[in-house]
């Protein structure tokens, strides 16, 4: 399905660990992570164990210096994003608990404010596929992986604010 190799040093040097599934705690395998190679699939890396903290979405490719991607060298968990062959659907709401104005999306949205006229997204329902919320427009800033299900408030997807500047499908992974 997917394969990722994490390296302790930059430029794919030093001790490495290869995996193809979710890992809630990488500390037993690596003391730090400074470069990554994704051979297949898409993965979300997490700053803390148990899929917590800052997140970084990676698809197939080589990342010789993970800090250039906005992460520290402390990658403590990773999650394989399963392949999805159907449509992608998400409903986003301006208020918490799935209230007020709702918009259903099936495509990426690089500019939430301009395209959807939403100042913030406080809740959502992921109907099909996996989605990534970005704190800023044009897929920049903090990232949050959303798997199928209901998110009644922004803290449910790990955010500290309801600011969503852009969102995209976790696609083109395989």
């Amino acid at each position: 399905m997917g394969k990722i190799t994490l390296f302790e040093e930059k430029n794919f040097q030093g001790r490495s660990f290869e995996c193809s599934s979710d890992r809630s705690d990488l500390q037993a395998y690596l003391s730090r992570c400074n470069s990554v190679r994704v051979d297949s699939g898409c993965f979300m890396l997490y700053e803390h164990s148990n899929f917590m903290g800052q997140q970084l979405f990676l698809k197939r490719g080589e990342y010789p210096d993970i800090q250039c991607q906005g992460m520290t060298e402390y990658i403590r968990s990773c999650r394989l994003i399963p392949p999805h062959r159907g449509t992608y659907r998400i409903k986003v709401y301006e208020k918490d608990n799935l209230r007020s104005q709702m918009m259903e999306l099936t495509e990426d949205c690089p500019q939430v404010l301009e395209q959807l006229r939403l100042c913030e997204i406080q809740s959502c329902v992921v109907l099909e596929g996996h989605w990534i919320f970005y704190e800023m427009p044009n897929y920049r800033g903090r990232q949050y992986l959303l798997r199928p299900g209901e998110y009644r408030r922004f803290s449910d997807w790990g955010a500290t604010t309801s600011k969503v500047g852009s969102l995209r499908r976790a696609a083109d992974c395989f």
Side-chain angles (χ1 to χ4, degrees):
M1 271 177 64
K3 180 179 160 192
I4 188 170
T5 307
L6 301 103
F7 297 84
E8 284 192 336
E9 305 300 331
K10 293 178 182 175
N11 298 311
F12 318 108
Q13 301 296 308
R15 206 163 85 182
S16 66
F17 175 71
E18 181 180 297
C19 74
S20 56
S21 62
D22 294 355
R23 295 291 176 162
S24 62
D25 191 354
L26 292 168
Q27 278 188 284
Y29 309 103
L30 297 170
S31 62
R32 63 188 175 279
C33 176
N34 280 294
S35 55
V36 176
R37 180 177 293 125
V38 179
D39 292 315
S40 60
C42 290
F43 288 83
M44 188 62 86
L45 302 182
Y46 296 82
E47 179 182 30
H48 301 296
S49 299
N50 298 313
F51 315 110
M52 303 294 287
Q54 188 173 339
Q55 302 175 35
L56 177 64
F57 174 71
L58 297 177
K59 56 186 180 179
R60 188 179 329 168
E62 294 189 342
Y63 305 87
D65 185 353
I66 205 72
Q67 292 177 25
C68 288
Q69 304 294 317
M71 288 293 279
T72 69
E73 65 180 24
Y74 300 106
I75 306 293
R76 297 295 185 228
S77 52
C78 72
R79 174 165 275 154
L80 171 66
I81 300 172
H84 182 75
R85 301 281 184 241
T87 59
Y88 287 77
R89 290 177 48 224
I90 186 171
K91 291 181 179 180
V92 297
Y93 297 84
E94 204 169 20
K95 302 284 183 197
D96 65 349
N97 289 314
L98 314 174
R99 296 179 298 130
S100 96
Q101 182 181 351
M102 181 276 292
M103 307 215 49
E104 184 170 327
L105 301 167
T106 58
E107 299 291 329
D108 299 348
C109 180
Q111 302 274 339
V112 167
L113 181 59
E114 289 180 20
Q115 291 176 259
L116 305 181
R117 303 287 186 248
L118 293 176
C119 293
E120 49 190 22
I121 296 175
Q122 294 204 20
S123 57
C124 69
V125 179
V126 177
L127 300 167
E128 296 180 66
H130 286 64
W131 291 78
I132 302 163
F133 280 1
Y134 294 81
E135 195 174 45
M136 297 167 40
N138 298 312
Y139 315 116
R140 295 178 299 120
R142 289 191 178 271
Q143 305 171 16
Y144 304 96
L145 175 65
L146 286 88
R147 302 185 303 173
E150 286 187 358
Y151 298 83
R152 294 193 162 272
R153 57 196 52 79
F154 57 84
S155 59
D156 291 348
W157 63 73
T160 56
T161 73
S162 58
K163 178 80 172 126
V164 177
S166 50
L167 59 109
R168 73 167 23 143
R169 299 161 292 159
D172 296 326
C173 296
F174 292 84

